Structures are given as C-alpha cells and as structure tokens.
Amino acid sequence: MLPSGTPRSARGLLAAASAALAIIALSDLFAVFAGARIYLLIDEEQGFAAAPQQRLDAAYSLYETAGDLQGNVYLPCAALFVAWFFRTRRNTGLLAPDRFRKGPGWAIGGWLIPLANFWLPYRIAVDMWGAATPLPAGGEPYRTSIWPVNLWWGLLVSSTLFDWYAASRYQSAEALTEIRAAVMQYMAADALHIAAVVAAVYFAARLTSMHWRKATASSPYSA
C-alpha cells in the first residue's frame, strides 16, 4: 500500500479515456468511409455524378450521419481524456511541484480558452512529462525524450487546423468538383485525427506508467 499522501494511480481513468478515444477514432474512420463514397461517385475530370442521383443522395445522407456521429461522441469522450489529464496533473504536481508554472485547474481551463488552447495544454503536458521523469541516478540526470508529447500535439493541432480549412471549403463549394475536393480534404483531416488519437493513447499510457513508477519509488518526492 502506498504511503499516505502519495499520488494515486490514474490507471482507471486512463482505461476509460483510452476507450473514449477509440470511440472517437471509430467515428472518424466511419466519416472517412462515408467521404470515400461521395469522392468515388463524382468524376473529377467531367465534374458530374458518375452514379444515379439516388445513390448520390444516399451518399450525402450517410456523410451527414457520419458528421453528426462525430459531433455527438466527441465532447463526452474528450471530457474523459481531460479528466485523466487533470488527475495526472494533480498527481505529477505532488511529485515535483516546482516544475509547474500554473495550478492544476489550468489542466481543464487551458482547453477552454480560444487560441490559448493551442499552447497551454501542450505546456502542461511537457511539465507533467518532466515531473514524471525518473529521478537522477549515479549523479547524472535522467533525461527522457518528449517526442510522444510533440507527436501527439503536432498531429492534434494539424488535424484541427486542416479540419477548419476543409469545413470552409465544403461550406462554400458549389460545383461537384469543388465538393469532391473538399470531401478529400475532410478525409485527410479525419485521417490525421485518427493518428492524433493513437498518439494521444500512447502519450497517456507512457505518462501514467512513468508517474506510477516514480510515485512508488523509495523517494517519490525527491526532485
């Protein structure tokens, strides 16, 4: 049993957040499939539907359903990830409070501030990673690469920006060829988001494991 006051494991929340992220990835995959149907039904060179209108209407309906599904699952599933993020921030803050510039509440608030949410969660993630890094051994500081943080965040920001761009193109599209191009961009954004989800699960699992090993070490509060 851990000593009193020792940070508690976030493994339960990690499992829930990972399952939630998997649901998001599946909804993105469904959107890619629905988008591919529209893409294949529109002839790029001739600019007309290469299938009966009924099939094209069905493809549009499926694409709208996929978009609705993405919107419906994203917020509750993302909330579970943020809950894990907040719990881990509190836990790692107990291990190395001097590594953090902002309080634990920013692990939630940082996601909610427009524009700032492109930077604040990343900074908190980097600080958590540093706080969970193993203690120095043999007089030499132990360094752990933060590439899992950078990969996750880079993919997440890229997919978000690309999704905004694709949405603007899709909403302004009039000709079938413009719709086809916008759908292709949406598919690319969804594929990037799937990659970001996979990277998020890996980052979360690595960080939770690092934290737990350090918290159960003989001197968990050593800096």
Side-chain angles (χ1 to χ4, degrees):
M1 183 174 179
L2 295 177
S4 176
T6 300
R8 301 297 179 180
S9 172
R11 289 177 179 176
L13 268 178
L14 171 64
S18 297
L21 290 173
I23 292 173
I24 291 177
L26 288 174
S27 71
D28 290 337
L29 190 61
F30 179 44
V32 171
F33 168 75
R37 287 191 62 188
I38 294 178
Y39 185 82
L40 294 174
L41 285 173
I42 300 175
D43 187 282
E44 182 177 21
E45 294 183 1
Q46 303 299 325
F48 62 82
Q53 186 63 40
Q54 185 177 2
R55 287 184 60 188
L56 190 60
D57 289 343
Y60 277 123
S61 177
L62 183 66
Y63 197 52
E64 290 178 1
T65 299
D68 291 341
L69 179 62
Q70 284 178 299
N72 290 334
V73 305
Y74 185 79
L75 284 180
C77 290
L80 275 174
F81 179 80
V82 173
W84 166 84
F85 197 79
F86 173 69
R87 170 73 67 81
T88 304
R89 164 61 184 88
R90 291 184 62 184
N91 283 348
T92 52
L94 293 174
L95 291 176
D98 58 314
R99 288 184 177 270
F100 295 91
R101 309 168 195 178
K102 299 183 182 298
W106 284 98
I108 295 176
W111 295 94
L112 305 177
I113 303 173
L115 298 182
N117 54 14
F118 279 92
W119 175 252
L120 284 176
Y122 170 74
R123 278 306 321 166
I124 294 169
V126 169
D127 290 342
M128 289 194 297
W129 196 268
T133 297
L135 301 172
E140 294 294 328
Y142 188 98
R143 297 184 182 277
T144 299
S145 172
I146 64 169
W147 72 261
V149 186
N150 292 337
L151 178 64
W152 159 58
W153 197 250
L155 287 170
L156 180 62
V157 171
S158 298
S159 65
T160 300
L161 294 176
F162 206 33
D163 185 73
W164 289 354
Y165 174 72
S168 67
R169 291 291 302 275
Y170 188 78
Q171 291 169 4
S172 62
E174 296 180 358
L176 286 175
T177 51
E178 293 176 342
I179 294 174
R180 188 178 195 264
V183 168
M184 184 61 183
Q185 289 159 358
Y186 255 137
M187 291 166 59
D190 287 332
L192 274 175
H193 198 246
I194 292 171
V197 165
V198 174
V201 172
Y202 180 73
F203 151 70
R206 278 282 305 273
L207 180 56
T208 300
S209 177
M210 288 167 57
H211 158 261
W212 189 245
R213 286 198 302 269
K214 187 173 181 181
T216 54
S218 58
S219 301
Y221 298 111
S222 300

